[in-house]
């Protein structure tokens, strides 16, 4: 526990205009990796605009480690097809969490993260104070694929007895 900084909860909300890998559609799922941790969403059948709304929780020990996301199309009789990937820099989010802004009004924007060549953001992402926690909503543009985006939400969870931020 003393090596943990806390938990990063990633809500995989939805995929937007994902690549077609089967005849007319795809059966997508997302794999999230951070260091040696690997988590997976459920498979959504026959959709290029899947709605997952699934929470995946990673234990953060090193804030420098990137969060890697890979989207695949599930196949029954062959290897699953790649549908793109993205990488998430959690440092701007963690910096906002470190501010300890408990007295802010609900919905206050703490900071904005603009898309650039260093991140995978499809559009500007707001880090806000909502329901007594720091939240970041974002849309990531998938790379190594002809099209597709992932909509996510980040939320930090402090662990009692952990090192903390």
């Amino acid at each position: 526990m003393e090596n943990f900084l806390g938990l990063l909860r990633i809500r995989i909300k939805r995929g937007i205009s994902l690549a077609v890998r089967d005849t007319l559609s795809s059966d997508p799922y997302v794999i999230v990796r951070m260091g040696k941790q690997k988590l997976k969403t459920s498979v959504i059948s026959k959709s290029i605009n899947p709605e997952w709304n699934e929470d995946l929780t990673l234990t953060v020990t090193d804030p420098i480690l990137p969060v890697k996301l890979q989207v695949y199309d599930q196949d029954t009789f062959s290897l699953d097809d790649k549908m793109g990937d993205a990488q998430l820099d959690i440092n701007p989010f963690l910096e906002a969490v470190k501010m300890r802004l408990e007295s802010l009004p609900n919905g206050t924007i703490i900071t904005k993260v603009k898309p650039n060549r260093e991140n995978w953001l499809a559009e500007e992402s707001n880090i806000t104070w909502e329901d007594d926690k720091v939240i970041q909503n974002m849309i990531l543009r998938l790379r190594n694929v002809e099209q597709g985006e992932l909509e996510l939400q980040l939320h930090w969870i402090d662990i009692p007895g952990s090192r903390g931020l």
Side-chain angles (χ1 to χ4, degrees):
M1 282 281 273
E2 61 274 353
N3 291 332
F4 295 159
L5 297 175
L7 300 174
L8 178 66
R9 177 154 297 152
I10 302 172
R11 171 162 283 182
I12 310 288
K13 290 185 170 185
R14 64 189 180 118
I16 304 163
S17 299
L18 298 179
V20 173
R21 290 292 181 258
D22 296 332
T23 310
L24 298 170
S25 191
S26 293
D27 304 311
Y29 64 92
V30 180
I31 291 178
V32 177
R33 286 186 168 94
M34 182 180 202
K36 294 179 180 177
Q37 299 173 80
K38 178 181 171 183
L39 302 170
K40 180 182 171 239
T41 66
S42 59
V43 175
I44 305 293
S45 296
K46 297 180 176 52
S47 179
I48 58 169
N49 293 296
E51 301 258 347
W52 284 284
N53 288 311
E54 289 183 32
D55 289 335
L56 303 176
T57 304
L58 296 165
T59 303
V60 179
T61 55
D62 182 355
I64 306 297
L65 284 176
V67 176
K68 297 178 180 183
L69 300 110
Q70 296 171 294
V71 183
Y72 288 93
D73 167 53
Q74 185 180 52
D75 287 327
T76 306
F77 301 111
S78 62
L79 290 175
D80 292 354
D81 300 312
K82 292 181 180 179
M83 295 177 66
D85 59 84
Q87 191 164 301
L88 178 59
D89 176 12
I90 61 172
N91 282 315
F93 176 72
L94 295 180
E95 289 302 315
V97 171
K98 284 182 195 176
M99 292 180 190
R100 303 286 179 209
L101 302 168
E102 280 78 21
S103 60
L104 287 178
N106 204 35
T108 301
I109 296 173
I110 299 167
T111 189
K112 296 178 183 208
V113 183
K114 297 191 180 304
N116 61 42
R117 292 181 181 186
E118 308 299 314
N119 64 34
W120 275 253
L121 291 173
E123 58 189 42
E124 186 174 84
S125 170
N126 291 334
I127 301 175
T128 58
W129 180 256
E130 292 178 27
D131 301 322
D132 297 325
K133 56 188 173 243
V134 177
I135 299 287
Q136 182 175 5
N137 289 299
M138 65 182 69
I139 296 177
L140 298 176
R141 184 168 286 123
L142 296 174
R143 305 281 169 104
N144 303 312
V145 69
E146 59 273 21
Q147 67 183 39
E149 297 173 339
L150 278 181
E151 185 176 347
L152 314 172
Q153 182 183 74
L154 303 182
H155 158 203
W156 183 257
I157 301 169
D158 283 315
I159 304 173
S162 70
R163 208 168 75 205
L165 292 172

